[in-house]
Amino acid sequence: MQRYRLRMSELEAGAQIRLIALDLDGTTLTSERQIHPRNAEAIMRASRSGIVVVLASGRIRPSMSPFARQLELGDGPLICSNGAHIVDSDGSTLAASYLGAPEQSAILDFALREDLHLNGYTTDRMFYLDDSAWLELYRTRARTIPTEKVSIEELRAM
């Protein structure tokens, strides 16, 4: 994939950045899941200059909001769940796209048949069926996410 960089000469020529969208894991956050101070400084400087800074991640909103607040971005706008849930700064949903019941059922059946660890998500919570090493790894990586153990019947009913 080709990366684009805006040169200062282009900015001076009148090009204006109005929005910056940033991924969290593997981009904005360090390997310790912290915002590097230099990243924080640059992001806050951009925001204070009037550029809209949007965090975009596979994470759900409760797992992203602490980083938005740390960066003085308030609580949004945030692009959550790999774009399946987009919220405004007041927390209201701007866009949402969910799997239908047939797709959910097929995924659950496949995970059970193949004995795979499975997490289920709503816009603000994560559900899991069984404790596992994968669950603990996920909890370690996404420390701010609320999790709840449920039965397969409860997960199917969501």
Side-chain angles (χ1 to χ4, degrees):
M1 175 169 40
Q2 184 178 6
R3 294 181 183 248
Y4 296 93
R5 292 180 183 246
L6 193 60
R7 293 178 181 82
M8 286 306 282
S9 61
E10 292 172 299
L11 284 175
E12 292 162 359
Q16 291 197 354
I17 299 171
R18 297 190 315 220
L19 183 137
I20 298 172
L22 299 167
D23 180 41
L24 286 174
D25 297 296
T27 306
T28 303
L29 303 181
T30 66
S31 58
E32 292 82 31
R33 308 292 185 267
Q34 301 294 318
I35 299 171
H36 191 283
R38 286 186 7 213
N39 286 349
E41 180 185 332
I43 292 165
M44 289 188 283
R45 191 172 61 241
S47 180
R48 283 188 215 114
S49 75
I51 297 171
V52 176
V53 179
V54 178
L55 299 181
S57 177
R59 295 170 177 242
I60 60 175
R61 185 184 50 77
S63 183
M64 296 175 67
S65 293
F67 297 110
R69 286 190 294 275
Q70 181 183 349
L71 293 167
E72 300 176 9
L73 303 176
D75 217 17
L78 300 171
I79 301 171
C80 313
S81 304
N82 291 317
H85 185 223
I86 302 171
V87 296
D88 204 350
S89 57
D90 64 2
S92 61
T93 297
L94 297 173
S97 177
Y98 306 104
L99 292 175
E103 293 83 5
Q104 290 177 27
S105 184
I107 291 167
L108 284 171
D109 292 343
F110 178 80
L112 292 170
R113 184 175 60 248
E114 299 297 323
D115 195 31
L116 300 172
H117 175 80
L118 180 72
N119 294 338
Y121 298 87
T122 63
T123 57
D124 62 352
R125 292 181 23 224
M126 183 193 92
F127 303 91
Y128 62 96
L129 298 174
D130 296 304
D131 292 305
S132 71
W134 287 112
L135 176 65
E136 287 312 311
L137 175 65
Y138 190 84
R139 281 183 174 153
T140 301
R141 297 180 94 194
R143 296 177 209 137
T144 57
I145 190 170
T147 61
E148 181 181 333
K149 187 172 185 174
V150 296
S151 69
I152 186 65
E153 294 78 19
E154 291 171 304
L155 194 56
R156 284 191 190 279
M158 290 182 189

